[in-house]
Structures are given as C-alpha cells and as structure tokens.
Amino acid sequence: MKKTLTLFAAVLSLLTTACTEQKTVVDENPILSIEGGKVQGVVIDSTNVIAYKGIPFAAAPVGELRWKKPQPVTPWDTVMIADHFRNASWQAAHNPNDGAYGTEFFAEDAPFSEDCLQLNIWAPQNTVGKTDTKLPVAMWIHGGAYTGGWSFEPEMDGEAWAERGVILVTVNYRLGVFGFLNHPLLTEEGGGHSGNYGTYDQVAALTWIHNNIAQFGGDPENITVFGQSAGAASVKNMIISPLSKGMVKKAIIQSIGGIGMELAAPETQEELDAKAKAKLDAAGLTTLEQLRTASYEDLMKALPAAWGDPNAVRFSPHQDGVLLTEGFNDAVFNNTIADVPYMMGHCANDMPGLTDGEQRFAEVRDSLSNKPVYLYFFDRPLPTDGRKALEGSFHSSELWYTFHTLNRSWRPFTTADEELSNRMVDYWTNFCKYGNPNGETDGEWKNSTKEAPYVMNLRIKE
C-alpha cells in the first residue's frame, strides 16, 4: 500500500509539473482570439519577441472571388499556430542572377498563389494578450511595381522593431493581373467599377489591424503606414482614400515620395476596360467563366507586362471614384490628405526628381498644416564583394537598414553599417511612437518648412 501511495504521489507530481509548465508556456505565449478564430505565435529564440506568420486577414480570393473586393476571412476551428509564412501573390519568377535585385532580395522565390491575403506580426512578448498596453503599430506595404514582391522578403523583419516597443505588421496584397485587371464584364459585375483589387486588399489589411491589433498589445488609434517604391505609392493611396480615413495616424514614404511622382494609371475606367478587353478577346477569353478559370500563365500571355509601352495593359491603381476619388498631387494641394506627421526620403542613386518633389511637399504642408514633415537622404553606397554593378545607394538599398537585417545579406557590412542601421531603426520607431524621429523631444533631425528646409543625411560615420 505504501508503495502504491508513493507511486501515485510521484505520478501526481509529474502531472502537476507538466500542467504548470504548460500553463507557463500559455501565459508567456497566450492564445489570442481574432477575426476568424484563435491564434498562437512563436517566440523568437534569444529574444522577447513573438512572431505571428501567415495570419489571413480576408478570404482567399480564388474561384468566384477572383477579381472581387476582399471578403471576410474564412473561420477556422482549431488554434492556428502561426509559425510559417504562407504565399506571395502570383508574379513572374525572378532570376537570382539578375542584377542587384536578384542577388539582393529575390535569390529564392516564395511560393506563388492566388491564396495570398495574409499578414505577419512581430510583437513584444510581455504585451501580447494585454489589450490595455496600447503600443504603437506600424503597417508595412512592400514594393515591386505592383507586380512583384511579398511581405516576408529576407530584408523584412520586425524583431528589431518589437524590441523597441513598436508592433510591426507586414501585409500581402494581390499583384499584377489578379490585383489590378480592368475589364467591362468585371466593371458591370462590380456596379460600374473594376480593378484596384490590390489596393482594396491594403485597406482590408489596415482595417483588420485596426480591429484586431489590441489583442497583440497594440493601439488601434496609433497606426503608422509605411512602404517603399510601389509600397510608398500605396501609402499615398492610404492617406487620400475615403475608405481608410481616420485609421492612419502617421505615414512614412520611402521613395516615390513628394509631389509629382505617382504610380497611378492615367486612363479612365472605360479606357482601361477597352484596352484589356481587346487583348483578352484576341486570346479567346471572352466570358467571366473563361477569365476566372484561366491560368496565370495564359492571362499573362494575353496581357504581357511592358512598362513604357502605351499599348500595354498596365497593372496599377486608378481613380475609380470610390476607393480613389482624386490624385495624390491634387489631394495635397486641396488639403484632403490625412492631416498627420509625415516622414519621407530616398536613396542617393534612386529615381530622378525625388528631392524636388519631397521638398515641395514639405513646403505645401507647412502652408496648410501644423503637422511636421521630416525628410531624409540615404547616402550609404552599399559595400560589395567587388562586383561594380552591385554597388551604390540604389533604389531599395536602405531596406536592410530600415529593418536591421544586415546579417541576412551577403554584403560585407561593417560595424559602421550596424551603427547606421540601429540609428535608422531608432528614427523610424521613434516616429511611430511620437511623430518625431528624434523621440519625445526635438533633436538634430529638424522638420522641414518653407522658411527652413531640412534633410537628414543618413550615412555611416567614418
């Protein structure tokens, strides 16, 4: 009997210990209730950050939902363990030996799928599940000319941001033919509008963040939207769209900033519809059923991407009178953009004309608003392994520094690069917190005004 009692006590002790350990795990990494169901993230090794990868923010836009506005997320029954990234939107495969971008960001392609409407979140471990914490939130929109890229490219990561007390969310959206096709049959089905599906996805992601981020410790009333290249142009759309009104509290625009630079299609809905219809008709795709069952490859054979060709079908947003009611430049002068703090800039070897447009933007905002505009100039030629074609401060080169992911690159970065990256992450996260890259008080980075223009030069310290 004594042996039996001893054995029972030992088993009870083991069960109690197991339950205690399980409770500790759940307490430190709680199961959250969000739109669609329950989710649990993964604690990043040797950090106090929890990552949530591949959370759906809308239903998969497949089948009858191809070329429809994003629909509510499909619920799931069990706890979703958000431990891996999902899919990128369909796009052309990348050549890993194709210049800077192939060797830099696209050495390996993500899996491509129409089922791509997911987002990723990095949050401090000690605030997850605490809805009263109200940490600042940043939503990142990737670039890629509206036809390429994804939310989890190797240079994109939220660990350094979360360690500084800012929750980072990176979002996917539909690209290319699935994100921005216009066609008269779709226009008729959509009540007079078609296209812009990828931009509607971005609004849906922003709305999801606003509605759910408190579960992760975030403040839905303090969301900064930021992006680079087509992602920056997308930020411009978020700050002028009636559908995102009130949800954006700060904005960072990295390249494609300022007045004069737009990545929007200039044609009317009718012109866009007619151009796509002619090419799809020629390929024998004349009905909605044929369009919705056609493969990506067949669609792209009929609609080859060709930037600069006036006869090509261009996949980009356009003014549809609902999502986008005016152009960005007009909105700036009409003072109908979000009245929030702005930060914008570009790289030394970036696209031409950005400096004048950014300074003009700061001048106009200074005359219409008391909210600050902070300008920067990224002037660090990236170190190379001797390949001349891969050096310089080219378009997108600042992204390794923005997310502090230098250790993921093949480049021989130095201690000075690490210091510059840490300084930039401090600036970016301070802006998300306070609307001021310096922090709670003014510092060396001055806001730019008409009377006192100022541009922060971001370079390594020799």
Side-chain angles (χ1 to χ4, degrees):
M1 181 68 178
K2 184 175 180 181
K3 290 182 178 179
T4 302
L5 290 174
T6 302
L7 178 61
F8 175 77
V11 171
L12 181 62
S13 175
L14 286 172
L15 289 173
T16 302
T17 301
C19 289
T20 301
E21 289 177 351
Q22 177 62 33
K23 183 178 185 299
T24 301
V25 170
V26 172
D27 285 348
E28 293 179 352
N29 184 8
I31 296 171
L32 309 180
S33 295
I34 57 174
E35 290 179 17
K38 297 183 182 299
V39 66
Q40 188 174 37
V42 176
V43 180
I44 300 175
D45 290 343
S46 72
T47 74
N48 293 314
V49 175
I50 300 181
Y52 299 81
K53 302 175 181 179
I55 298 177
F57 64 85
V62 300
E64 287 300 311
L65 295 185
R66 179 188 281 188
W67 298 309
K68 293 278 186 70
K69 294 176 184 176
Q71 300 298 304
V73 66
T74 303
W76 57 90
D77 295 327
T78 59
V79 176
M80 176 184 293
I81 306 301
D83 60 353
H84 65 282
F85 299 118
R86 302 293 181 94
N87 306 312
S89 175
W90 268 108
Q91 57 196 273
H94 295 90
N95 180 352
N97 300 311
D98 183 17
Y101 297 110
T103 62
E104 205 77 23
F105 309 125
F106 302 124
E108 293 184 13
D109 274 335
F112 300 151
S113 173
E114 285 186 78
D115 180 4
C116 63
L117 299 185
Q118 297 99 25
L119 51 76
N120 316 293
I121 301 172
W122 288 262
Q125 185 177 12
N126 62 352
T127 64
V128 168
K130 300 176 181 178
T131 58
D132 59 346
T133 306
K134 297 187 181 302
L135 292 181
V137 183
M139 168 180 157
W140 169 255
I141 306 176
H142 70 81
Y146 294 119
T147 58
W150 50 88
S151 63
F152 49 95
E153 294 169 24
E155 75 278 15
M156 301 169 190
D157 190 274
E159 183 179 328
W161 286 61
E163 288 180 331
R164 288 165 170 81
V166 175
I167 296 174
L168 181 69
V169 186
T170 67
V171 305
N172 276 349
Y173 54 98
R174 282 172 283 182
L175 302 170
V177 66
F178 293 134
F180 299 96
L181 178 67
N182 299 274
H183 192 281
L185 293 176
L186 296 173
T187 298
E188 180 182 5
E189 181 184 60
H193 310 283
S194 66
N196 285 343
Y197 306 105
T199 305
Y200 277 104
D201 294 341
Q202 295 166 0
V203 173
L206 176 59
T207 303
W208 188 99
I209 294 167
H210 187 268
N211 293 342
N212 293 273
I213 203 63
Q215 283 289 311
F216 302 84
D219 183 358
E221 302 306 320
N222 187 10
I223 300 174
T224 299
V225 177
F226 75 127
Q228 185 266 345
S229 194
S234 298
V235 172
K236 288 181 170 183
N237 292 333
M238 293 300 100
I239 61 178
I240 67 174
S241 175
L243 303 188
S244 52
K245 189 174 181 64
M247 289 190 286
V248 177
K249 302 303 180 182
K250 306 176 186 73
I252 304 174
I253 305 174
Q254 300 180 216
S255 298
I256 318 291
I259 294 170
M261 180 67 73
E262 297 198 54
L263 282 183
E267 297 96 336
T268 65
Q269 183 76 66
E270 293 75 16
E271 291 169 334
L272 293 167
D273 285 355
K275 186 181 288 188
K277 182 180 186 301
K279 292 183 179 296
L280 289 166
D281 282 356
L285 300 172
T286 60
T287 69
L288 276 178
E289 182 180 3
Q290 289 173 326
L291 289 170
R292 286 208 163 101
T293 56
S295 68
Y296 172 79
E297 291 77 12
D298 286 344
L299 289 168
M300 292 311 298
K301 285 179 184 177
L303 302 166
W307 282 86
D309 179 357
N311 296 314
V313 173
R314 179 174 171 178
F315 300 126
S316 59
H318 73 282
Q319 293 180 43
D320 61 2
V322 178
L323 175 68
L324 298 173
T325 56
E326 61 184 331
F328 176 78
N329 296 334
D330 290 338
V332 173
F333 288 105
N334 293 337
N335 201 23
T336 53
I337 67 171
D339 189 23
V340 300
Y342 289 94
M343 189 166 86
M344 64 176 59
H346 62 282
C347 301
N349 306 127
D350 218 315
M351 294 180 290
L354 293 174
T355 298
D356 291 343
E358 291 161 0
Q359 292 181 339
R360 181 69 176 132
F361 176 85
E363 292 174 3
V364 174
R365 290 298 295 160
D366 185 45
S367 67
L368 297 174
S369 171
N370 60 1
K371 299 294 172 58
V373 175
Y374 295 93
L375 303 181
Y376 72 84
F377 183 71
F378 181 79
D379 191 20
R380 167 51 170 159
L382 266 59
T384 75
D385 54 5
R387 289 177 284 181
K388 289 291 185 181
L390 303 180
E391 62 185 14
S393 301
F394 53 86
H395 184 71
S396 308
S397 62
E398 86 280 19
L399 296 183
W400 295 118
Y401 298 78
T402 304
F403 296 100
H404 195 60
T405 49
L406 303 180
N407 62 343
R408 297 184 179 183
S409 173
W410 56 266
R411 292 181 179 274
F413 289 116
T414 66
T415 301
D417 289 298
E418 290 284 339
E419 186 279 331
L420 173 59
S421 177
N422 276 313
R423 186 154 49 98
M424 287 175 60
V425 178
D426 285 342
Y427 284 144
W428 265 240
T429 54
N430 280 338
F431 182 80
C432 294
K433 295 174 184 177
Y434 312 110
N436 184 337
N438 301 288
E440 293 186 82
T441 59
D442 287 335
E444 62 174 344
W445 192 339
K446 309 297 182 183
N447 66 301
S448 189
T449 66
K450 185 174 182 178
E451 297 300 323
Y454 184 85
V455 179
M456 169 60 74
N457 195 312
L458 298 172
R459 60 175 63 171
I460 63 170
K461 296 179 179 178
E462 302 290 351

